[in-house]
Structures are given as C-alpha cells and as structure tokens.
Amino acid sequence: MQAISDHLERRSRVNEEQEMDPKLLKVMHLHQNEAIAGWMPKREDFVYEWDNEAEDVIAEMEITDEDCDKDKEVKQRVLEIYNSKLDERKKRKEFVVNRNLLDLKAQEQTDKKRPRDEKELRDKMRPFSRFHTPQDHEEMMKGVLEERTTRQVQSCSNRSIEEENGGRKSPPFAFAC
C-alpha cells in the first residue's frame, strides 16, 4: 500500500509541475478560432515568427565609440546575419500569404474533392512550389497529372494489345497493314 501511495504522490507532484501557464492558455485561447493558430489577421502577422529567437542575439548588444575596430566588425557581421534572418522571415510570410495557405478550411474543401492519388501527388510536389509562382505551380501540376493520366491510358492500351496478341509484346510503332 505504501508503494501505491508513494506513486500517487509522485504523480500528483509531476502533474502540478506540468500545469500550463495561465498566460499561455489565454494566448492559445485567443488564437484557437483562427484558420491557422498564431496568425493575427488584423495585424497581418504571426504570433510566433520563423526563427523567433533571432532578436535575442542583438537584444543586449551595444555599439559604442569605445569599441575597437574588431568589435565593430563583429557587431556589424552580427547585424548582417540578423538582417538576413529578417529577410528570410519576410520571404516565408509572403509565401504563406500569397499562396492563401492561411485559409485551412478552403484548402481542406479543395482536397476533399480530389481523388486520393492526386492528393498524394500534390503532397509530394508541394516542396517544389517555393520555386514557382502559384499559377506556374498549378500549371505544372496540371501537366504532371495529365502526363500521369496519359501513361495510365497507354499502359492499359498496351496490356489490351498484349492480350489480343496472345501475350506477345508487339514491337513499338508496329503498324498493321
């Protein structure tokens, strides 16, 4: 019995330690009705940005006249790195906004209308969308889907020809006279 009570006591202490911070719960509650958690439509910004800790590096940094040239160079380089992170953050935000990826309900409705194999193909091709405009990517997807359909039709056609020939494969481009 002592072992069980010890176990329950340890478990209650662990649960107390793992309780959520009330401030965090309030922030999460504010964003639960949005299409994507963390997107603030009135500010047109995310609560949590890409590389959210980028500011931590420069928060305490000071550039003074007493700094030697090497210190100034290092601090200048740190600022350049920070600016590149801001540029990447901006680029990623524009990518999400421009492709209307914030409207999850519309995305889900569109996906429900697609056949399963098309959804899988689109998921596999999604990483390439960053290299195209949304229109170019959609045009590429239509071409890939059309090519896949053509290959499936050719495969079925070849199988039916083989069945007519008694299982023998006919040479490519053989014409019957």
Side-chain angles (χ1 to χ4, degrees), residues 50 83-93:
W50 177 81
N83 282 332
S84 68
K85 290 181 180 187
L86 290 181
D87 292 341
E88 182 66 21
R89 185 182 288 176
K90 180 181 177 188
K91 190 170 90 175
R92 288 172 181 249
K93 179 180 161 185

Side-chain angles (χ1 to χ4, degrees), residues 57-73:
V57 175
I58 64 165
E60 301 294 323
M61 187 170 71
E62 292 182 8
I63 300 175
T64 62
D65 292 333
E66 291 85 36
D67 289 342
C68 68
D69 289 340
K70 276 200 172 212
D71 286 344
K72 287 181 181 179
E73 287 177 26

Side-chain angles (χ1 to χ4, degrees), residues 6 8 19 23 34 43 47-48 50 59 61 64 72 79 89-90 95 101 111 113 115 129 147 161:
D6 289 343
L8 292 175
E19 281 187 31
K23 292 178 184 177
E34 297 167 7
R43 284 183 60 189
V47 173
Y48 302 103
W50 177 81
M61 187 170 71
T64 62
K72 287 181 181 179
L79 289 174
R89 185 182 288 176
K90 180 181 177 188
F95 179 85
L101 298 176
D111 276 349
K113 295 175 186 174
S129 66
E147 180 180 348
I161 290 173

